[in-house]
Amino acid sequence: MSNYTQRVYDSLAARVPWEKEFLQAVHEVFSSIQPAVDANPAIEQYSILERMIEPERQINFRVSWVDDAGQVQVNRGFRVEFNSAIGPYKGGLRFHKSVNASILKFLGFEQVYKNALTGLWMGGGKGGSDFDPHGKSEGEVMRFCQAFMSELFRHIGPNTDVPAGDIGVGGREVGFLFGQYKRLVNEFTGVLTGKGLDFGGSLARTEATGYGLCYYTQEVLRVLMNDSFEGKIVSVSGSGNVSIFATEKAQSMGATVRVMSDSSGYIYDPDGIDLALVKKIKLVDRARISVYVDSRPNAKFVAGKRVWEVPCDIALPCATQNEISADDAQDLIKNGVKMVAEGANMPTTPEAIEAFRAAGVLYCPGKASNAGGVAVSGLEMSQDSLRLQWTFEEVDQRLQNIMTKIVSDSLAAANKHGLGNDLMNGANLAGFERVAGAMIAQGVI
Ligand code: NDP
């Protein structure tokens, strides 16, 4: 980092030393962008970095709701409207007990540059609640979503801020949130993405993050290694939306996936994951991944461990932030991993990234490799504006084009700044330059 970049980072670290995840995300981007900052004096002149690390607006609110026993429960709700330089704030809602301001600021900050990489008109934001959906009845989830939207609705809109899903928020929750928004505002608009297909949703949105991750990975394999998924052993962590559809696409591209997980441990199936069974367990029964072994006699469940101890060629972390530690990275390297492509947001710790890069493992940063979800959310916004629904094939083709272009744009940015085929720095530079350019053009706001 140069004097300017370091100074801005240090002042942030002194101001919010407790916001560890947010500082980690800012540090990662700032460590990449020096060539762009050096090349454009307007960035320092107009205090672009200082403005980029400050959300344009941050909303905290109380969410009171009634559980099945008639007891009033209280949770914290958040929306971080980070940057609208290139479009309405766009980014998911996360319902998880770990949610706090630091996690949402890291996610919102990442989202700004990820959305820029898609080439669509979307700014960045993120929101959510410390509500824990595990073990809640459908009625409780619905009442929580309605209470959450009863405050959020006044801050969002189809041209202002368009939330979507994330951990703990899937199609069911988006449906409840959308219904409450419509009731309060008395308008049917594309205010949320990831909606049901009968009320403004896009075909291929459910699959988009996982499929997009595989399109990106396949393109990197083709361009940089003259290779493909065919015949590869792939490890996938998590068993939620991103994991399920990454597994589906990797399998269809000829890879073998033997492991998946949730927060209780991982399953290992030597015959390859039976994805129809995982979908039933996770999407229909909403049960724990451990029950998989009840139907698959050759499979085993390993409690309290991560999938990274199992040898693989390609690792696709698709669960949560910082899920690959330095020790996990050493296990993967020792077992011969060739590539790590992030489906989750910031799943690899800085120490693990260092270890991968030092060992020559191809590391693909989430803000590029998992951008397929928000890309198709952007396409859902386009379809809502047109009042039209495109076919699955049309959306899927556009998704493939966007993911392929993210690879070429990242490589072009890295090459332009003399960094060779560095996908991490290239992605950060490409996203940063687009947002910085728009901020400079729009004046001091
Ligand atoms: P889901 O809620 O559908 O699934 C999350 C999965 O990760 C579950 O299997 C969950 O297990 C596991 N998990 C969550 N927290 C932890 C933890 N602390 N330790 C171990 N496992 C954990 O979420 P998504 O699939 O939508 O999101 C997964 C990741 O992908 C997140 O990082 C998200 O930000 C990112 N992402 C998602 C996009 C999307 O379109 N959905 C778009 C881009 C990125 P359990 O049920 O036990 O908690």
PDB file of all heavy atoms in Angstrom, residues 284-315:
ATOM      1  N   VAL A 284     -36.392 -29.749   1.095  1.00  0.00           N
ATOM      2  CA  VAL A 284     -37.761 -30.194   1.397  1.00  0.00           C
ATOM      3  C   VAL A 284     -37.912 -30.435   2.904  1.00  0.00           C
ATOM      4  O   VAL A 284     -38.756 -29.830   3.565  1.00  0.00           O
ATOM      5  CB  VAL A 284     -38.107 -31.479   0.599  1.00  0.00           C
ATOM      6  CG1 VAL A 284     -39.536 -31.921   0.915  1.00  0.00           C
ATOM      7  CG2 VAL A 284     -37.927 -31.241  -0.898  1.00  0.00           C
ATOM      8  N   ASP A 285     -37.045 -31.295   3.458  1.00  0.00           N
ATOM      9  CA  ASP A 285     -37.190 -31.651   4.882  1.00  0.00           C
ATOM     10  C   ASP A 285     -36.567 -30.615   5.812  1.00  0.00           C
ATOM     11  O   ASP A 285     -36.848 -30.609   7.005  1.00  0.00           O
ATOM     12  CB  ASP A 285     -36.531 -33.016   5.158  1.00  0.00           C
ATOM     13  CG  ASP A 285     -37.129 -34.114   4.286  1.00  0.00           C
ATOM     14  OD1 ASP A 285     -38.244 -33.893   3.757  1.00  0.00           O
ATOM     15  OD2 ASP A 285     -36.486 -35.175   4.124  1.00  0.00           O
ATOM     16  N   ARG A 286     -35.690 -29.758   5.280  1.00  0.00           N
ATOM     17  CA  ARG A 286     -34.952 -28.759   6.078  1.00  0.00           C
ATOM     18  C   ARG A 286     -34.290 -29.427   7.298  1.00  0.00           C
ATOM     19  O   ARG A 286     -34.374 -28.961   8.429  1.00  0.00           O
ATOM     20  CB  ARG A 286     -35.867 -27.603   6.501  1.00  0.00           C
ATOM     21  CG  ARG A 286     -36.388 -26.817   5.298  1.00  0.00           C
ATOM     22  CD  ARG A 286     -37.244 -25.628   5.668  1.00  0.00           C
ATOM     23  NE  ARG A 286     -37.840 -25.026   4.476  1.00  0.00           N
ATOM     24  CZ  ARG A 286     -37.277 -24.080   3.729  1.00  0.00           C
ATOM     25  NH1 ARG A 286     -36.107 -23.594   4.066  1.00  0.00           N
ATOM     26  NH2 ARG A 286     -37.879 -23.594   2.660  1.00  0.00           N
ATOM     27  N   ALA A 287     -33.607 -30.551   7.022  1.00  0.00           N
ATOM     28  CA  ALA A 287     -32.970 -31.346   8.081  1.00  0.00           C
ATOM     29  C   ALA A 287     -31.454 -31.146   8.061  1.00  0.00           C
ATOM     30  O   ALA A 287     -30.914 -30.396   7.241  1.00  0.00           O
ATOM     31  CB  ALA A 287     -33.310 -32.818   7.868  1.00  0.00           C
ATOM     32  N   ARG A 288     -30.737 -31.818   8.957  1.00  0.00           N
ATOM     33  CA  ARG A 288     -29.278 -31.724   9.029  1.00  0.00           C
ATOM     34  C   ARG A 288     -28.658 -32.648   7.980  1.00  0.00           C
ATOM     35  O   ARG A 288     -29.213 -33.703   7.648  1.00  0.00           O
ATOM     36  CB  ARG A 288     -28.761 -32.099  10.428  1.00  0.00           C
ATOM     37  CG  ARG A 288     -29.423 -31.355  11.560  1.00  0.00           C
ATOM     38  CD  ARG A 288     -29.376 -29.850  11.373  1.00  0.00           C
ATOM     39  NE  ARG A 288     -28.000 -29.347  11.442  1.00  0.00           N
ATOM     40  CZ  ARG A 288     -27.615 -28.154  10.968  1.00  0.00           C
ATOM     41  NH1 ARG A 288     -28.497 -27.370  10.368  1.00  0.00           N
ATOM     42  NH2 ARG A 288     -26.375 -27.761  11.102  1.00  0.00           N
ATOM     43  N   ILE A 289     -27.449 -32.296   7.538  1.00  0.00           N
ATOM     44  CA  ILE A 289     -26.790 -33.074   6.481  1.00  0.00           C
ATOM     45  C   ILE A 289     -26.451 -34.486   6.971  1.00  0.00           C
ATOM     46  O   ILE A 289     -26.351 -35.424   6.176  1.00  0.00           O
ATOM     47  CB  ILE A 289     -25.512 -32.342   5.978  1.00  0.00           C
ATOM     48  CG1 ILE A 289     -25.052 -32.884   4.625  1.00  0.00           C
ATOM     49  CG2 ILE A 289     -24.376 -32.400   6.996  1.00  0.00           C
ATOM     50  CD1 ILE A 289     -25.917 -32.565   3.474  1.00  0.00           C
ATOM     51  N   SER A 290     -26.312 -34.680   8.284  1.00  0.00           N
ATOM     52  CA  SER A 290     -25.900 -35.987   8.830  1.00  0.00           C
ATOM     53  C   SER A 290     -26.885 -37.106   8.460  1.00  0.00           C
ATOM     54  O   SER A 290     -26.484 -38.273   8.371  1.00  0.00           O
ATOM     55  CB  SER A 290     -25.765 -35.890  10.349  1.00  0.00           C
ATOM     56  OG  SER A 290     -26.941 -35.351  10.900  1.00  0.00           O
ATOM     57  N   VAL A 291     -28.165 -36.753   8.225  1.00  0.00           N
ATOM     58  CA  VAL A 291     -29.130 -37.820   7.936  1.00  0.00           C
ATOM     59  C   VAL A 291     -28.893 -38.456   6.565  1.00  0.00           C
ATOM     60  O   VAL A 291     -29.460 -39.503   6.263  1.00  0.00           O
ATOM     61  CB  VAL A 291     -30.613 -37.344   8.059  1.00  0.00           C
ATOM     62  CG1 VAL A 291     -30.866 -36.687   9.408  1.00  0.00           C
ATOM     63  CG2 VAL A 291     -31.009 -36.398   6.930  1.00  0.00           C
ATOM     64  N   TYR A 292     -28.026 -37.835   5.765  1.00  0.00           N
ATOM     65  CA  TYR A 292     -27.683 -38.385   4.442  1.00  0.00           C
ATOM     66  C   TYR A 292     -27.224 -39.842   4.567  1.00  0.00           C
ATOM     67  O   TYR A 292     -27.575 -40.691   3.739  1.00  0.00           O
ATOM     68  CB  TYR A 292     -26.573 -37.523   3.840  1.00  0.00           C
ATOM     69  CG  TYR A 292     -26.050 -37.936   2.482  1.00  0.00           C
ATOM     70  CD1 TYR A 292     -26.587 -37.397   1.316  1.00  0.00           C
ATOM     71  CD2 TYR A 292     -24.976 -38.825   2.365  1.00  0.00           C
ATOM     72  CE1 TYR A 292     -26.088 -37.744   0.064  1.00  0.00           C
ATOM     73  CE2 TYR A 292     -24.468 -39.177   1.120  1.00  0.00           C
ATOM     74  CZ  TYR A 292     -25.025 -38.633  -0.024  1.00  0.00           C
ATOM     75  OH  TYR A 292     -24.514 -38.970  -1.257  1.00  0.00           O
ATOM     76  N   VAL A 293     -26.439 -40.136   5.594  1.00  0.00           N
ATOM     77  CA  VAL A 293     -25.848 -41.482   5.703  1.00  0.00           C
ATOM     78  C   VAL A 293     -26.910 -42.556   5.996  1.00  0.00           C
ATOM     79  O   VAL A 293     -26.667 -43.738   5.763  1.00  0.00           O
ATOM     80  CB  VAL A 293     -24.715 -41.537   6.765  1.00  0.00           C
ATOM     81  CG1 VAL A 293     -23.606 -40.555   6.402  1.00  0.00           C
ATOM     82  CG2 VAL A 293     -25.237 -41.243   8.165  1.00  0.00           C
ATOM     83  N   ASP A 294     -28.080 -42.168   6.477  1.00  0.00           N
ATOM     84  CA  ASP A 294     -29.150 -43.147   6.729  1.00  0.00           C
ATOM     85  C   ASP A 294     -29.600 -43.816   5.429  1.00  0.00           C
ATOM     86  O   ASP A 294     -30.071 -44.954   5.442  1.00  0.00           O
ATOM     87  CB  ASP A 294     -30.375 -42.468   7.384  1.00  0.00           C
ATOM     88  CG  ASP A 294     -30.022 -41.846   8.729  1.00  0.00           C
ATOM     89  OD1 ASP A 294     -28.960 -42.204   9.285  1.00  0.00           O
ATOM     90  OD2 ASP A 294     -30.797 -40.990   9.194  1.00  0.00           O
ATOM     91  N   SER A 295     -29.469 -43.087   4.301  1.00  0.00           N
ATOM     92  CA  SER A 295     -29.933 -43.633   3.015  1.00  0.00           C
ATOM     93  C   SER A 295     -28.779 -44.109   2.134  1.00  0.00           C
ATOM     94  O   SER A 295     -29.018 -44.619   1.037  1.00  0.00           O
ATOM     95  CB  SER A 295     -30.702 -42.563   2.230  1.00  0.00           C
ATOM     96  OG  SER A 295     -31.618 -41.899   3.042  1.00  0.00           O
ATOM     97  N   ARG A 296     -27.534 -43.871   2.553  1.00  0.00           N
ATOM     98  CA  ARG A 296     -26.377 -44.223   1.702  1.00  0.00           C
ATOM     99  C   ARG A 296     -25.380 -45.015   2.549  1.00  0.00           C
ATOM    100  O   ARG A 296     -24.526 -44.431   3.244  1.00  0.00           O
ATOM    101  CB  ARG A 296     -25.702 -42.954   1.169  1.00  0.00           C
ATOM    102  CG  ARG A 296     -26.603 -42.096   0.284  1.00  0.00           C
ATOM    103  CD  ARG A 296     -26.663 -42.569  -1.147  1.00  0.00           C
ATOM    104  NE  ARG A 296     -25.448 -42.295  -1.875  1.00  0.00           N
ATOM    105  CZ  ARG A 296     -25.292 -42.569  -3.180  1.00  0.00           C
ATOM    106  NH1 ARG A 296     -26.278 -43.103  -3.870  1.00  0.00           N
ATOM    107  NH2 ARG A 296     -24.140 -42.314  -3.773  1.00  0.00           N
ATOM    108  N   PRO A 297     -25.459 -46.359   2.509  1.00  0.00           N
ATOM    109  CA  PRO A 297     -24.665 -47.191   3.421  1.00  0.00           C
ATOM    110  C   PRO A 297     -23.155 -47.002   3.298  1.00  0.00           C
ATOM    111  O   PRO A 297     -22.431 -47.159   4.291  1.00  0.00           O
ATOM    112  CB  PRO A 297     -25.070 -48.626   3.042  1.00  0.00           C
ATOM    113  CG  PRO A 297     -25.930 -48.532   1.837  1.00  0.00           C
ATOM    114  CD  PRO A 297     -26.375 -47.123   1.661  1.00  0.00           C
ATOM    115  N   ASN A 298     -22.652 -46.622   2.124  1.00  0.00           N
ATOM    116  CA  ASN A 298     -21.197 -46.460   1.974  1.00  0.00           C
ATOM    117  C   ASN A 298     -20.705 -45.104   2.483  1.00  0.00           C
ATOM    118  O   ASN A 298     -19.499 -44.886   2.597  1.00  0.00           O
ATOM    119  CB  ASN A 298     -20.780 -46.586   0.508  1.00  0.00           C
ATOM    120  CG  ASN A 298     -20.907 -48.012   0.030  1.00  0.00           C
ATOM    121  OD1 ASN A 298     -20.960 -48.931   0.849  1.00  0.00           O
ATOM    122  ND2 ASN A 298     -20.993 -48.202  -1.279  1.00  0.00           N
ATOM    123  N   ALA A 299     -21.631 -44.186   2.728  1.00  0.00           N
ATOM    124  CA  ALA A 299     -21.230 -42.835   3.132  1.00  0.00           C
ATOM    125  C   ALA A 299     -20.990 -42.761   4.641  1.00  0.00           C
ATOM    126  O   ALA A 299     -21.511 -43.571   5.402  1.00  0.00           O
ATOM    127  CB  ALA A 299     -22.319 -41.842   2.739  1.00  0.00           C
ATOM    128  N   LYS A 300     -20.165 -41.769   5.042  1.00  0.00           N
ATOM    129  CA  LYS A 300     -19.982 -41.559   6.483  1.00  0.00           C
ATOM    130  C   LYS A 300     -20.173 -40.086   6.810  1.00  0.00           C
ATOM    131  O   LYS A 300     -19.998 -39.218   5.942  1.00  0.00           O
ATOM    132  CB  LYS A 300     -18.616 -42.047   6.951  1.00  0.00           C
ATOM    133  CG  LYS A 300     -17.454 -41.303   6.337  1.00  0.00           C
ATOM    134  CD  LYS A 300     -16.124 -41.751   6.948  1.00  0.00           C
ATOM    135  CE  LYS A 300     -14.984 -40.966   6.287  1.00  0.00           C
ATOM    136  NZ  LYS A 300     -13.681 -41.184   6.829  1.00  0.00           N
ATOM    137  N   PHE A 301     -20.547 -39.820   8.060  1.00  0.00           N
ATOM    138  CA  PHE A 301     -20.672 -38.442   8.547  1.00  0.00           C
ATOM    139  C   PHE A 301     -19.548 -38.199   9.539  1.00  0.00           C
ATOM    140  O   PHE A 301     -19.325 -38.997  10.449  1.00  0.00           O
ATOM    141  CB  PHE A 301     -22.031 -38.232   9.241  1.00  0.00           C
ATOM    142  CG  PHE A 301     -22.149 -36.889   9.905  1.00  0.00           C
ATOM    143  CD1 PHE A 301     -22.186 -35.721   9.142  1.00  0.00           C
ATOM    144  CD2 PHE A 301     -22.211 -36.771  11.294  1.00  0.00           C
ATOM    145  CE1 PHE A 301     -22.286 -34.466   9.743  1.00  0.00           C
ATOM    146  CE2 PHE A 301     -22.312 -35.520  11.905  1.00  0.00           C
ATOM    147  CZ  PHE A 301     -22.347 -34.376  11.117  1.00  0.00           C
ATOM    148  N   VAL A 302     -18.809 -37.099   9.345  1.00  0.00           N
ATOM    149  CA  VAL A 302     -17.708 -36.743  10.250  1.00  0.00           C
ATOM    150  C   VAL A 302     -18.136 -35.489  11.010  1.00  0.00           C
ATOM    151  O   VAL A 302     -18.231 -34.406  10.438  1.00  0.00           O
ATOM    152  CB  VAL A 302     -16.405 -36.497   9.458  1.00  0.00           C
ATOM    153  CG1 VAL A 302     -15.261 -36.173  10.412  1.00  0.00           C
ATOM    154  CG2 VAL A 302     -16.062 -37.712   8.599  1.00  0.00           C
ATOM    155  N   ALA A 303     -18.418 -35.654  12.291  1.00  0.00           N
ATOM    156  CA  ALA A 303     -18.951 -34.543  13.091  1.00  0.00           C
ATOM    157  C   ALA A 303     -17.858 -33.533  13.440  1.00  0.00           C
ATOM    158  O   ALA A 303     -16.707 -33.912  13.712  1.00  0.00           O
ATOM    159  CB  ALA A 303     -19.582 -35.076  14.375  1.00  0.00           C
ATOM    160  N   GLY A 304     -18.214 -32.262  13.404  1.00  0.00           N
ATOM    161  CA  GLY A 304     -17.339 -31.203  13.925  1.00  0.00           C
ATOM    162  C   GLY A 304     -16.083 -30.934  13.118  1.00  0.00           C
ATOM    163  O   GLY A 304     -15.182 -30.235  13.588  1.00  0.00           O
ATOM    164  N   LYS A 305     -15.976 -31.472  11.905  1.00  0.00           N
ATOM    165  CA  LYS A 305     -14.779 -31.254  11.074  1.00  0.00           C
ATOM    166  C   LYS A 305     -15.171 -30.578   9.767  1.00  0.00           C
ATOM    167  O   LYS A 305     -16.329 -30.591   9.360  1.00  0.00           O
ATOM    168  CB  LYS A 305     -14.096 -32.599  10.771  1.00  0.00           C
ATOM    169  CG  LYS A 305     -13.449 -33.251  11.985  1.00  0.00           C
ATOM    170  CD  LYS A 305     -12.118 -32.580  12.268  1.00  0.00           C
ATOM    171  CE  LYS A 305     -11.338 -33.201  13.401  1.00  0.00           C
ATOM    172  NZ  LYS A 305     -10.988 -34.590  13.232  1.00  0.00           N
ATOM    173  N   ARG A 306     -14.160 -30.011   9.112  1.00  0.00           N
ATOM    174  CA  ARG A 306     -14.401 -29.369   7.817  1.00  0.00           C
ATOM    175  C   ARG A 306     -13.992 -30.291   6.673  1.00  0.00           C
ATOM    176  O   ARG A 306     -13.123 -31.155   6.848  1.00  0.00           O
ATOM    177  CB  ARG A 306     -13.595 -28.072   7.718  1.00  0.00           C
ATOM    178  CG  ARG A 306     -14.091 -26.996   8.681  1.00  0.00           C
ATOM    179  CD  ARG A 306     -13.155 -25.820   8.641  1.00  0.00           C
ATOM    180  NE  ARG A 306     -13.673 -24.688   9.388  1.00  0.00           N
ATOM    181  CZ  ARG A 306     -12.921 -23.666   9.781  1.00  0.00           C
ATOM    182  NH1 ARG A 306     -11.634 -23.635   9.476  1.00  0.00           N
ATOM    183  NH2 ARG A 306     -13.453 -22.676  10.447  1.00  0.00           N
ATOM    184  N   VAL A 307     -14.556 -30.027   5.507  1.00  0.00           N
ATOM    185  CA  VAL A 307     -14.309 -30.905   4.338  1.00  0.00           C
ATOM    186  C   VAL A 307     -12.867 -30.849   3.848  1.00  0.00           C
ATOM    187  O   VAL A 307     -12.429 -31.711   3.082  1.00  0.00           O
ATOM    188  CB  VAL A 307     -15.231 -30.550   3.152  1.00  0.00           C
ATOM    189  CG1 VAL A 307     -16.689 -30.732   3.524  1.00  0.00           C
ATOM    190  CG2 VAL A 307     -14.990 -29.132   2.655  1.00  0.00           C
ATOM    191  N   TRP A 308     -12.107 -29.838   4.283  1.00  0.00           N
ATOM    192  CA  TRP A 308     -10.796 -29.589   3.664  1.00  0.00           C
ATOM    193  C   TRP A 308      -9.752 -30.647   4.008  1.00  0.00           C
ATOM    194  O   TRP A 308      -8.678 -30.685   3.414  1.00  0.00           O
ATOM    195  CB  TRP A 308     -10.286 -28.183   4.018  1.00  0.00           C
ATOM    196  CG  TRP A 308     -11.364 -27.161   3.863  1.00  0.00           C
ATOM    197  CD1 TRP A 308     -11.813 -26.287   4.801  1.00  0.00           C
ATOM    198  CD2 TRP A 308     -12.171 -26.914   2.695  1.00  0.00           C
ATOM    199  NE1 TRP A 308     -12.857 -25.522   4.305  1.00  0.00           N
ATOM    200  CE2 TRP A 308     -13.086 -25.887   3.016  1.00  0.00           C
ATOM    201  CE3 TRP A 308     -12.223 -27.477   1.407  1.00  0.00           C
ATOM    202  CZ2 TRP A 308     -14.040 -25.405   2.113  1.00  0.00           C
ATOM    203  CZ3 TRP A 308     -13.162 -27.006   0.506  1.00  0.00           C
ATOM    204  CH2 TRP A 308     -14.047 -25.977   0.852  1.00  0.00           C
ATOM    205  N   GLU A 309     -10.070 -31.541   4.948  1.00  0.00           N
ATOM    206  CA  GLU A 309      -9.110 -32.622   5.247  1.00  0.00           C
ATOM    207  C   GLU A 309      -9.180 -33.739   4.208  1.00  0.00           C
ATOM    208  O   GLU A 309      -8.348 -34.640   4.206  1.00  0.00           O
ATOM    209  CB  GLU A 309      -9.339 -33.177   6.663  1.00  0.00           C
ATOM    210  CG  GLU A 309     -10.704 -33.788   6.900  1.00  0.00           C
ATOM    211  CD  GLU A 309     -10.919 -34.161   8.369  1.00  0.00           C
ATOM    212  OE1 GLU A 309     -10.263 -33.564   9.243  1.00  0.00           O
ATOM    213  OE2 GLU A 309     -11.742 -35.067   8.628  1.00  0.00           O
ATOM    214  N   VAL A 310     -10.183 -33.696   3.334  1.00  0.00           N
ATOM    215  CA  VAL A 310     -10.336 -34.739   2.294  1.00  0.00           C
ATOM    216  C   VAL A 310      -9.603 -34.291   1.019  1.00  0.00           C
ATOM    217  O   VAL A 310      -9.802 -33.167   0.555  1.00  0.00           O
ATOM    218  CB  VAL A 310     -11.835 -34.969   1.996  1.00  0.00           C
ATOM    219  CG1 VAL A 310     -12.012 -36.008   0.898  1.00  0.00           C
ATOM    220  CG2 VAL A 310     -12.576 -35.383   3.265  1.00  0.00           C
ATOM    221  N   PRO A 311      -8.747 -35.143   0.425  1.00  0.00           N
ATOM    222  CA  PRO A 311      -8.014 -34.743  -0.779  1.00  0.00           C
ATOM    223  C   PRO A 311      -8.931 -34.382  -1.949  1.00  0.00           C
ATOM    224  O   PRO A 311      -9.979 -35.013  -2.133  1.00  0.00           O
ATOM    225  CB  PRO A 311      -7.191 -35.996  -1.134  1.00  0.00           C
ATOM    226  CG  PRO A 311      -7.082 -36.757   0.141  1.00  0.00           C
ATOM    227  CD  PRO A 311      -8.351 -36.482   0.895  1.00  0.00           C
ATOM    228  N   CYS A 312      -8.546 -33.342  -2.704  1.00  0.00           N
ATOM    229  CA  CYS A 312      -9.320 -32.956  -3.889  1.00  0.00           C
ATOM    230  C   CYS A 312      -8.416 -32.208  -4.864  1.00  0.00           C
ATOM    231  O   CYS A 312      -7.336 -31.745  -4.496  1.00  0.00           O
ATOM    232  CB  CYS A 312     -10.509 -32.075  -3.505  1.00  0.00           C
ATOM    233  SG  CYS A 312     -10.043 -30.483  -2.797  1.00  0.00           S
ATOM    234  N   ASP A 313      -8.887 -32.082  -6.116  1.00  0.00           N
ATOM    235  CA  ASP A 313      -8.179 -31.267  -7.112  1.00  0.00           C
ATOM    236  C   ASP A 313      -8.620 -29.812  -7.040  1.00  0.00           C
ATOM    237  O   ASP A 313      -7.829 -28.894  -7.246  1.00  0.00           O
ATOM    238  CB  ASP A 313      -8.481 -31.778  -8.534  1.00  0.00           C
ATOM    239  CG  ASP A 313      -8.070 -33.228  -8.717  1.00  0.00           C
ATOM    240  OD1 ASP A 313      -6.925 -33.556  -8.361  1.00  0.00           O
ATOM    241  OD2 ASP A 313      -8.902 -34.021  -9.203  1.00  0.00           O
ATOM    242  N   ILE A 314      -9.937 -29.621  -6.830  1.00  0.00           N
ATOM    243  CA  ILE A 314     -10.500 -28.266  -6.827  1.00  0.00           C
ATOM    244  C   ILE A 314     -11.350 -28.117  -5.570  1.00  0.00           C
ATOM    245  O   ILE A 314     -12.192 -28.981  -5.274  1.00  0.00           O
ATOM    246  CB  ILE A 314     -11.378 -28.041  -8.080  1.00  0.00           C
ATOM    247  CG1 ILE A 314     -10.531 -28.179  -9.351  1.00  0.00           C
ATOM    248  CG2 ILE A 314     -12.062 -26.671  -8.030  1.00  0.00           C
ATOM    249  CD1 ILE A 314     -11.331 -28.141 -10.646  1.00  0.00           C
ATOM    250  N   ALA A 315     -11.135 -27.031  -4.839  1.00  0.00           N
ATOM    251  CA  ALA A 315     -11.933 -26.752  -3.639  1.00  0.00           C
ATOM    252  C   ALA A 315     -12.896 -25.615  -3.935  1.00  0.00           C
ATOM    253  O   ALA A 315     -12.481 -24.563  -4.433  1.00  0.00           O
ATOM    254  CB  ALA A 315     -11.014 -26.382  -2.473  1.00  0.00           C
TER     255      ALA A 315
END
